[in-house]
Amino acid sequence: MTNNLRVQQISTDISILVTFDAPAQGAGGLAWDGARLWLADFVAKELLSLDPATMATQHRLPSHGTPAGLAWDGHRLWQSVFGAGAAVGFDPESGQVRGRAVLPEDRGPVRIAGLAWDGAYLWCGSQQDGLLYAIDVRQETAIRTLSTLAPLGGLAWDGDSLWVGGATGLHWDGQSWVRTEDRRYTLLK
């Protein structure tokens, strides 16, 4: 498949290691499960596992609704269901659902854009209202909600802090988060 979507592997010193054509019509979220790279295709509504050595597609699984963010919790691959306010955890080998968390819909269905696993909680970022949810995957419920004041995109956990990307960033002034009008990534500790 030839398209203009690309996936890049970037080293910690910020040099591009490899670039390849994304084997997807609508490349979205990425997750690493320790052996494979997972890619969400929001157009074909499927999840692809890629061999990191060859970047060849190993297998495809149907997604659960329109996929956006992906995260690996050590046992399950989690996929956000865009527009449904839910994240689905499943066995990556069989595709069988092994967990589901539905977010509160006080303002209508939540459009989850990003997911991240911090070792204890699954974090979900809302694209429409800037809310960040901490999900206890054992209870399959949100246990904490934070307002970031900005629409959220991708999320990442670096082992110590949660990184949040969005169209409008935030700045910590020493006492509170302050909204800024530029595009930046925010580090939450």
Side-chain angles (χ1 to χ4, degrees), residues 161-180:
S161 301
L162 183 65
W163 289 85
V164 178
T168 304
L170 299 171
H171 171 71
W172 179 255
D173 70 0
Q175 295 182 350
S176 61
W177 290 104
V178 178
R179 186 176 184 166
T180 62

Side-chain angles (χ1 to χ4, degrees), residues 34-163:
R36 298 168 292 201
L37 180 65
W38 287 90
L39 171 67
D41 184 339
F42 59 84
V43 173
K45 295 186 179 176
E46 60 184 6
L47 307 175
L48 295 75
S49 71
L50 307 176
D51 179 326
T54 65
M55 294 303 164
T57 302
Q58 292 179 315
H59 69 277
R60 298 170 183 264
L61 293 174
S63 66
H64 302 274
T66 302
L70 295 177
W72 176 251
D73 74 1
H75 306 286
R76 294 171 286 197
L77 183 64
W78 286 87
Q79 172 223 312
S80 64
V81 183
F82 192 78
V88 177
F90 59 93
D91 179 310
E93 300 305 321
S94 68
Q96 190 170 35
V97 173
R98 299 284 189 218
R100 181 176 178 88
V102 178
L103 299 177
E105 294 190 5
D106 303 345
R107 301 175 203 170
V110 179
R111 294 190 308 259
I112 302 170
L115 291 180
W117 175 254
D118 73 359
Y121 302 106
L122 180 69
W123 290 89
C124 302
S126 168
Q127 188 180 57
Q128 82 262 31
D129 58 14
L131 294 178
L132 188 61
Y133 300 89
I135 306 294
D136 181 329
V137 297
R138 291 177 303 280
Q139 296 178 22
E140 298 184 348
T141 188
I143 61 159
R144 186 173 179 196
T145 304
L146 302 170
S147 176
T148 65
L149 306 175
L152 299 177
L155 303 179
W157 176 254
D158 70 6
D160 183 50
S161 301
L162 183 65
W163 289 85

